[in-house]
């Protein structure tokens, strides 16, 4: 971005709304804010390891549960369409990660990795969460190619290729228990592999898993490799007590060892829950700093779905719009022919 970018700290007017992130929450917020004539500016992030602009769905081959798409479509395709819709309505996009925000003074300051800092009246944090993986090369390879390795049973478990197969769940917390019970609807057997000799999950959940006729638990074990060329055929296990190794034939692997919300750049300026998710007013997207809103998986350790993220993204944009109106700022957002042209060129520059 050049020094003349609207809202930059070079002395131009602050942005009405800066949206940080690029999953379903961010693009939905952008669509709503753009249609409300707020000319949102989105920082969509950059590729870092398996984290890509576009969010978690960039790692998914088929999405069958996003309403409006009776034929399965790929995660990258869905995200491309959401972004295109936001841009079509006037959203400007910068392909950089935000490394810092300063929320102590108004307008707020948003500092991206390379370009100039931007000032903003309101901010929507939609940076999502990263699923934790075991960290095995073959696990990553098969997870990114639709090869039967997933970090979301509710998302992927109903796919035809998992039906009537033996599936493995790795984990021992409540999420692992939920994923296990969900998979019993489709699998011939669900094997839970846990590195300790008892579950960390709540007693009720653990008991439901342990008493389920389709579930078997392999205690004190960890997965050390994932077998199979194009699709998983098995996992290699190591006993954490004896060190003995074995192989188990399986038709799918579900890793359920938790998520990490992407909040580091906030540097503790927003209150978080005990699990590190951004804290919002119940039923709303308002954070503990007035004028800063948060949406998507970064506030949600319970539903974690594209549609729920899109829903809270919509809420955040509506709340930002009302915040601006309440503070009498909405008129400064009125677009002119000139600023529309400027917006279009910012998109062209930043998305190449
Ligand atoms: C393997 C897998 C399969 C899934 N399949 C489905 C499915 O079929 N259906 C479904 O509904 N859900 C599915 N989900 C869940 C779904 O992907 C998430 O619920 C959803 O993507 C969360 O959206 P979000 O907008 O909160 O952010 P995310 O999708 O988490 O994206 C946020 C993105 O913001 C960007 N970002 C992060 N930090 C910064 C920063 N500092 N500055 C700028 N940008 C930043 C990054 O690119 C990050 O990836 C799946 C999840 C996984 C892991």
């Amino acid at each position: 971005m050049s020094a003349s970018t609207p809202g930059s700290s070079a002395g131009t007017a602050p942005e009405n709304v800066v949206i940080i992130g690029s999953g379903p929450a961010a693009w939905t917020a952008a669509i709503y804010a753009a249609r409300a004539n707020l000319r949102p500016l989105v920082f969509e992030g950059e590729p870092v390891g398996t984290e890509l602009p576009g969010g978690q769905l960039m790692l998914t081959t088929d999405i069958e549960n996003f309403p409006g798409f009776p034929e399965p479509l790929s995660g990258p395709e869905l995200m491309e369409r959401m972004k295109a819709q936001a841009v079509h309505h006037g959203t400007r996009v910068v392909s950089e990660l935000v490394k810092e925000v300063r929320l102590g003074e108004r307008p707020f300051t948003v500092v991206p990795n390379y370009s100039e800092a931007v000032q903003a009246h309101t901010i929507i944090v939609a940076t999502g969460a990263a699923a934790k993986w075991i960290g095995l090369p073959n696990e990553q390879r098969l997870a990114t190619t639709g090869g039967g390795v997933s970090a979301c049973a509710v998302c992927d478990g109903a796919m035809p290729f998992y039906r009537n197969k033996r599936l493995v769940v790795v984990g021992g917390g409540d999420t692992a228990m939920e994923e296990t019970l969900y998979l019993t609807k489709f699998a011939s057997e669900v094997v839970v592999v846990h590195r300790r000799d008892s579950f960390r999950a709540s007693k009720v959940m653990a008991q439901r898993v342990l008493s389920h006729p389709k579930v078997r638990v392999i205690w004190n074990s960890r997965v050390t490799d994932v077998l199979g060329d194009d699709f998983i055929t098995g996992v290699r296990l190591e006993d954490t007590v004896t060190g003995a190794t074995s192989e188990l034939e399986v038709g799918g692997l579900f890793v359920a060892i938790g998520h990490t919300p992407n909040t580091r750049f906030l540097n503790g300026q927003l209150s978080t829950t005990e699990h590190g998710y951004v804290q919002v007013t119940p039923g709303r997207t308002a954070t503990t700093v007035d004028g800063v809103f948060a949406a998507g998986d970064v506030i949600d350790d319970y539903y974690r779905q594209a549609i729920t993220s899109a829903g809270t993204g919509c809420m955040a944009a509506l709340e930002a719009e009302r915040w601006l109106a309440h503070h009498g700022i909405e008129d400064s957002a009125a677009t002119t022919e000139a600023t529309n042209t400027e917006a279009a060129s910012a998109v062209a520059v930043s998305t190449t």
Side-chain angles (χ1 to χ4, degrees), residues 143-259:
T144 47
T145 54
V149 176
S150 171
C152 182
V154 176
C155 313
D156 296 336
M159 298 286 182
F161 43 76
Y162 291 126
R163 306 248 162 168
N164 301 315
K165 301 256 180 72
R166 177 192 287 148
L167 304 176
V168 164
V169 173
V170 173
D174 275 336
T175 304
M177 302 299 106
E178 271 161 23
E179 305 247 308
T180 299
L181 292 169
Y182 184 79
L183 291 172
T184 58
K185 295 177 207 270
F186 316 105
S188 56
E189 181 187 27
V190 185
V191 178
V192 184
V193 173
H194 187 46
R195 59 190 168 146
R196 302 211 173 84
D197 61 1
S198 64
F199 289 137
R200 170 169 50 83
S202 64
K203 266 199 180 131
V204 178
M205 289 300 291
Q207 199 44 49
R208 283 182 63 199
V209 163
L210 291 170
S211 60
H212 198 289
K214 274 193 183 177
V215 177
R216 173 161 64 103
V217 182
I218 301 184
W219 301 107
N220 295 320
S221 288
R222 60 191 193 101
V223 172
T224 55
D225 201 1
V226 181
L227 312 174
D229 293 332
D230 297 331
F231 203 88
I232 186 170
T233 55
V235 288
R236 187 164 292 135
L237 300 174
E238 183 187 85
D239 189 305
T240 55
V241 179
T242 64
T245 59
S246 60
E247 282 181 16
L248 181 69
E249 207 174 291
V250 301
L253 167 64
F254 290 84
V255 180
I257 54 177
H259 289 75

Side-chain angles (χ1 to χ4, degrees), residues 317-336:
L318 293 177
E319 288 190 59
E321 185 189 352
R322 283 171 200 171
W323 191 97
L324 291 163
H326 181 74
H327 290 81
I329 299 174
E330 84 272 38
D331 284 342
S332 75
T335 48
T336 63

